[in-house]
Amino acid sequence: MNDIKERINRVGLQILAASRNEIYMSMRYFDMALSALDYELNLTTKTIGTDGFKILFNPSWLAAAYKEWPQDINRVYVHMLMHNIFRHMSGKMERDEAMWNLACDIAVESLIDRFDAVCVKRVVSDEREAWYYRLSKDMKVLNAQSIYRWFKNHILSPLEIRKAEQIFCLDDHKFWQGQEEEDAPDKRQRQQQRDDKWQDISQKMKTNLNTFSKSMGQQAGDLLLQMEISLHETYDYRDFLRKFTVVNEEIKLDMDSFDYIFYTYGLNTYGNVPLVEPLEYKESEKIQELAIIVDTSESCGDGVLRRFLHETFQILHSMDSFFKTMNLHIIQCDAKVQMDMKITSEEELTECMKHFVVRGRGGTNFKAGLAYVEKLVREEEFRNLKGVLYFTDGYGEFPAKRPGFETAFIFVKEDYTDIKVPPWAMKVILEPEDILTWSE
């Protein structure tokens, strides 16, 4: 590094270090996040960005921005920290990159605009307030996922998008997917290391925030809720459904146990006399008995219920998950059991979904649905029940005692509020787009 470049780099490092210290003095709950990023001069960006390991900066932009208004450096520093804390660089599905980037920037800035810390506080412009008001009409939490979903459901003109980017975009997101010169396996490994690192930081930062929550007031609540969203565990629904499979024999050629050497030896030596025939029975791990209870209370929408059942059965069908003869009960229940449909074959399942009608629309009582399944077990309607899937919005009364079978409560939540279930129950919280992408 030549002398001029070294001096420029040293100035950039001093500016970022001073900004870090100022943020730490005003917002101590960021301590772990502040110490997690190194600094590196990078001339491929016109401004500044982060890859989760370093802050990469253009020294000319950094010096000019600091000279014009030092507080702006603090602002963009916290902006990048929060991208990492909320793990905006990670994604569980393909997204429109430009829309996702804008959604992440709006989510982060909407939080920073509510901070009282002097080092980042500034007057919120009318344009920003207009965007926050517009989005808040359709969502409870201005997080990146909800904003992105809003963008996908509302057609914005290129001019609107460009203006929004000018208002909210502070940093360069080009480093989010790693350096271009990295090989694909190395890039994936590095991204996983980054995700694990920031998940750990976020978990520990939650503890710090709980400590500072009294002095921070509403800010702590907003930030904690956003962190709950970023730490929200995602599920491979296919793997989850495998918890309810059993091993059994079915009539099917077991080609895995077939020995081609003896087979071809027999044909070559004795003509058309193979020495070994393939086994006609094969051990399979599939679902034999299952109860699915759907909450048909007034708070659960028809569309979500139908989509949940349809996509669940689509997945099971694509996985070849049912034995030829099955014992599946689809139970509709609000405050009481409204209907029980018994399914014994895939043909019956197809017909059931074609003519499915939601019954109920009363209150919610989980006890009634689970008590009904226990009654079916006592009557030996179920002989080897592996478990119950209970699809609900979560607002109901849980049984005090554990039933005699595994129970999984499946919640679809748009507001990301956590739901407490009894210790004996499994819990899966899904986002609306999780259902939409199950069968893709």
Side-chain angles (χ1 to χ4, degrees):
M1 187 181 290
N2 59 46
D3 290 343
I4 295 176
K5 192 174 181 180
E6 188 173 341
R7 286 202 299 272
I8 292 173
N9 182 55
R10 189 161 57 245
V11 169
L13 296 178
Q14 289 172 348
I15 291 172
L16 290 172
S19 178
R20 179 186 61 201
N21 293 339
E22 192 172 350
I23 294 167
Y24 176 76
M25 294 303 294
S26 299
M27 310 165 88
R28 291 178 182 268
Y29 45 87
F30 278 126
D31 58 349
M32 288 192 65
L34 285 165
S35 61
L37 294 172
D38 295 326
Y39 308 134
E40 183 179 294
L41 183 148
N42 190 299
L43 298 178
T44 66
T45 178
K46 294 180 179 179
T47 55
I48 193 169
T50 179
D51 62 357
F53 297 97
K54 300 183 292 288
I55 289 177
L56 302 109
F57 64 93
N58 183 304
S60 299
W61 175 88
L62 187 61
Y66 184 79
K67 184 178 179 181
E68 184 175 343
W69 191 248
Q71 196 178 40
D72 284 348
I73 305 301
N74 300 339
R75 183 91 183 196
V76 73
Y77 203 129
V78 174
H79 181 105
M80 290 185 292
L81 286 180
M82 293 176 76
H83 279 321
N84 285 308
I85 290 164
F86 300 147
R87 291 182 295 153
H88 286 161
M89 302 172 196
S90 307
K92 64 185 173 200
M93 61 181 183
E94 293 298 320
R95 294 184 171 113
D96 181 316
E97 186 177 354
M99 288 290 95
W100 176 247
N101 286 342
L102 179 56
C104 293
D105 285 328
I106 294 175
V108 163
E109 286 299 299
S110 70
L111 269 178
I112 301 175
D113 278 336
R114 293 200 291 275
F115 286 167
D116 289 328
V118 176
C119 65
V120 295
K121 192 170 181 62
R122 69 180 183 190
V123 177
V124 182
S125 67
D126 292 340
E127 291 92 344
R128 287 191 173 212
E129 290 285 14
W131 267 105
Y132 299 152
Y133 176 75
R134 186 178 180 184
L135 293 168
S136 296
K137 289 193 294 185
D138 294 322
M139 64 192 75
K140 295 181 180 179
V141 183
L142 296 186
N143 67 293
Q145 292 88 338
S146 296
I147 296 170
Y148 178 78
R149 188 162 57 245
W150 188 92
F151 282 148
K152 300 300 287 184
N153 294 330
H154 294 75
I155 299 174
L156 302 177
S157 68
L159 181 60
E160 280 184 295
I161 295 171
R162 192 160 58 251
K163 282 186 176 179
E165 288 173 342
Q166 291 171 355
I167 294 168
F168 293 104
C169 298
L170 302 185
D171 61 330
D172 189 346
H173 296 179
K174 66 181 289 183
F175 305 111
W176 282 15
Q177 301 308 317
Q179 304 287 353
E180 292 180 0
E181 63 270 14
E182 286 182 302
D183 295 332
D186 293 338
K187 188 178 289 188
R188 283 193 297 271
Q189 183 180 6
R190 189 168 168 81
Q191 288 172 353
Q192 186 60 53
Q193 290 172 350
R194 178 193 65 200
D195 292 346
D196 293 343
K197 165 187 171 181
W198 283 101
Q199 182 169 14
D200 181 59
I201 290 172
S202 297
Q203 291 281 12
K204 291 174 180 175
M205 188 176 162
K206 274 181 64 182
T207 304
N208 288 349
L209 272 172
N210 285 320
T211 303
F212 286 97
S213 59
K214 288 184 180 179
S215 59
M216 287 182 65
Q218 183 61 35
Q219 297 173 44
D222 294 336
L223 191 51
L224 277 168
L225 184 54
Q226 288 267 24
M227 293 183 71
E228 287 287 353
I229 296 166
S230 70
L231 294 169
H232 167 66
E233 186 177 356
T234 59
Y235 297 88
D236 186 329
Y237 199 62
R238 291 165 176 81
D239 288 342
F240 180 75
L241 289 174
R242 289 192 180 97
K243 294 177 182 288
F244 302 95
T245 59
V246 294
V247 177
N248 207 343
E249 286 188 339
E250 60 178 336
I251 298 176
K252 188 175 184 180
L253 291 180
D254 187 0
M255 302 308 294
D256 295 333
S257 302
F258 180 60
D259 193 327
Y260 286 96
I261 295 174
F262 284 102
Y263 185 82
T264 53
Y265 176 77
L267 291 178
N268 291 334
T269 306
Y270 304 108
N272 291 327
V273 183
L275 291 182
V276 180
E277 289 286 355
L279 297 175
E280 295 182 353
Y281 288 88
K282 181 178 181 178
E283 279 195 345
S284 300
E285 191 173 349
K286 296 185 178 183
I287 293 173
Q288 189 172 47
E289 292 191 332
L290 183 65
I292 298 178
I293 306 175
V294 290
D295 179 0
T296 57
S297 62
E298 193 172 358
S299 55
C300 286
D302 285 12
V304 176
L305 290 177
R306 292 174 185 278
R307 195 161 66 224
F308 165 75
L309 288 172
H310 178 265
E311 298 300 341
T312 297
F313 296 141
Q314 283 286 95
I315 290 171
L316 292 171
H317 178 73
S318 66
M319 290 166 55
D320 190 24
S321 294
F322 287 115
F323 288 107
K324 194 164 186 180
T325 302
M326 67 179 82
N327 184 16
L328 171 66
H329 284 252
I330 303 173
I331 302 163
Q332 298 190 47
C333 180
D334 49 13
K336 63 180 181 179
V337 174
Q338 297 289 346
M339 189 174 187
D340 178 11
M341 293 168 284
K342 182 177 179 178
I343 309 294
T344 59
S345 67
E346 290 204 33
E347 293 76 17
E348 289 182 13
L349 182 57
T350 303
E351 283 300 308
C352 169
M353 292 310 300
K354 282 182 183 177
H355 307 291
F356 183 79
V357 178
V358 177
R359 309 286 177 88
R361 294 313 183 206
T364 305
N365 185 358
F366 303 134
K367 293 180 180 179
L370 295 174
Y372 178 75
V373 176
E374 288 186 309
K375 174 174 169 286
L376 294 179
V377 172
R378 287 196 302 271
E379 294 172 353
E380 297 188 347
E381 174 62 30
F382 288 117
R383 296 179 180 274
N384 189 22
L385 179 64
K386 285 293 288 183
V388 173
L389 299 179
Y390 207 128
F391 181 79
T392 176
D393 60 1
Y395 301 107
E397 190 176 356
F398 294 93
K401 288 182 60 179
R402 173 178 182 158
F405 40 78
E406 294 286 350
T407 306
F409 288 93
I410 301 172
F411 308 103
V412 175
K413 303 293 291 179
E414 293 198 29
D415 56 1
Y416 302 93
T417 50
D418 197 9
I419 299 164
K420 291 184 179 180
V421 300
W424 46 261
M426 289 182 278
K427 175 178 67 173
V428 180
I429 300 178
L430 301 169
E431 300 170 22
E433 61 259 33
D434 289 330
I435 296 181
L436 291 172
T437 55
W438 277 348
S439 58
E440 292 180 2

